[in-house]
Amino acid sequence: MQRYFAKVYERDVVLTKDDVFHLTKVMRAKVGEQIEIVADDKVYLCEVKSLKPLQIRTKREIKEDHELKSHVVLVMALLKGDHTDLVVQKATELGVDEIIFLQSERTIVKIKQSDRDYKLERFHRIAKEAAEQSKRSVIPNIYRIINLDGLKEIKAEVKLIAYEGMQGTADSFNNKIAKLKPGQRVAIVIGPEGGFSSGEIDAANYYGFKKVSLGKRILRAETAAIYALSVISNMLEQK
Ligand code: SAH
């Protein structure tokens, strides 16, 4: 069943322009069709009452619990090509609450101030579609681009930076995630294609981020993000 994030006034549903097009032209919805609408973190079973004009009404609230028990913040270096799009989509499917983009020493992709809003709006659209597809009731917040000093503003009970220079296994990473309590926040920082400098790791450490290994192999940045978030969501689902 199709899901859209939308607005609900009393029992009337108001979709975005894009979603009206998707529902009526792509999905070719019929009168009587049922869809799921997410509004203000609530999920409603709704029905298409008419198409011209489009009228969608809520029928009842759906109680569901698809969100992780702890809040996951991904701090991700901007990546080349469409790798950032991939990470935004997969991080959303894996339950992330917020994605903060990091412009670090070795980040190749620089977002100009003039492109910032357009780029963030585009990443929001990717996250919205992924949240609808994966049946989430929350679209991850994607609104910040920081440099390394911006790490000091990040509030979380568990703050980790994945450092490819660490030797050894992912045990320390697993142990720190295992200690997470429901309602707590975990922030995980993933570097760019060129990795982190030791100076950046020292600075992150100063801001309270513990360096962790993600295992014995050096993963591509997009793989590292997906791996780390898979471990976190898997462990949190077991709580
Ligand atoms: N170009 C670097 C690798 C960068 S990998 C080199 O070849 O050494 C990109 C990012 O993924 C890293 O900055 C780190 O955040 C993460 N990463 C990849 N493999 C990792 C590992 N085994 N342990 C910890 N972090 C890892």
Side-chain angles (χ1 to χ4, degrees):
M1 189 181 294
Q2 197 60 37
R3 174 174 294 210
Y4 298 102
F5 285 83
K7 297 255 186 280
V8 169
Y9 302 102
E10 307 270 311
R11 292 188 52 211
D12 279 323
V13 174
V14 178
L15 296 177
T16 64
K17 207 159 47 49
D18 290 353
D19 288 341
V20 169
F21 178 82
H22 184 263
L23 181 68
T24 56
K25 302 285 183 251
V26 175
M27 303 304 292
R28 307 175 72 77
K30 303 275 176 291
V31 170
E33 184 144 351
Q34 297 197 332
I35 60 172
E36 292 168 345
I37 292 295
V38 184
D40 304 321
D41 296 349
K42 288 198 172 78
V43 185
Y44 299 93
L45 180 67
C46 300
E47 185 173 328
V48 178
K49 290 301 198 189
S50 77
L51 287 169
K52 290 190 174 37
L54 179 62
Q55 192 195 27
I56 303 167
R57 307 262 296 160
T58 59
K59 292 177 72 173
R60 61 177 172 80
E61 188 176 338
I62 301 172
K63 288 289 180 205
E64 65 176 37
D65 174 21
H66 296 171
E67 296 303 317
L68 295 176
K69 297 276 179 292
S70 299
H71 305 281
V72 183
V73 179
L74 171 65
V75 184
M76 183 77 214
L78 286 158
L79 302 177
K80 288 187 295 189
D82 58 4
H83 293 153
T84 301
D85 296 1
L86 175 80
V87 171
V88 168
Q89 184 186 63
K90 299 311 167 200
T92 300
E93 291 173 60
L94 290 167
V96 82
D97 263 329
E98 182 175 1
I99 301 174
I100 300 171
F101 292 115
L102 176 68
Q103 283 192 312
S104 65
E105 275 171 34
R106 299 177 191 166
T107 311
I108 295 161
V109 172
K110 302 281 183 218
I111 291 191
K112 293 199 298 292
Q113 194 58 27
S114 54
D115 293 346
R116 179 198 169 83
D117 291 350
Y118 161 76
K119 289 268 187 188
L120 290 176
E121 172 51 35
R122 186 171 166 281
F123 289 133
H124 172 79
R125 270 202 310 279
I126 292 170
K128 175 176 178 290
E129 281 162 21
E132 288 163 345
Q133 175 274 324
S134 56
K135 300 290 181 194
R136 291 194 60 183
S137 54
V138 168
I139 301 175
N141 272 325
I142 306 180
Y143 60 88
R144 274 197 270 181
I145 302 175
I146 63 170
N147 59 24
L148 206 87
D149 287 341
L151 291 183
K152 64 174 172 289
E153 313 298 331
I154 293 174
K155 306 270 177 292
E157 284 81 8
V158 175
K159 301 198 283 192
L160 306 173
I161 181 163
Y163 180 39
E164 67 281 7
M166 292 274 287
Q167 299 308 318
T169 67
D171 285 355
S172 69
F173 174 61
N174 296 348
N175 296 340
K176 289 180 173 65
I177 300 304
K179 291 197 184 91
L180 257 178
K181 294 186 179 47
Q184 288 192 326
R185 283 166 74 84
V186 53
I188 174 83
V189 186
I190 304 286
E193 295 85 349
F196 284 122
S197 67
S198 53
E200 288 181 305
I201 295 298
D202 293 345
N205 206 277
Y206 178 72
Y207 296 136
F209 285 76
K210 298 267 182 298
K211 59 186 177 188
V212 288
S213 167
L214 297 181
K216 296 180 189 132
R217 290 171 303 287
I218 299 291
L219 309 175
R220 285 180 185 278
E222 60 275 20
T223 314
I226 294 167
Y227 173 88
L229 294 174
S230 298
V231 168
I232 292 172
S233 62
N234 178 280
M235 281 201 182
L236 291 180
E237 301 281 1
Q238 289 166 20
K239 298 249 175 200

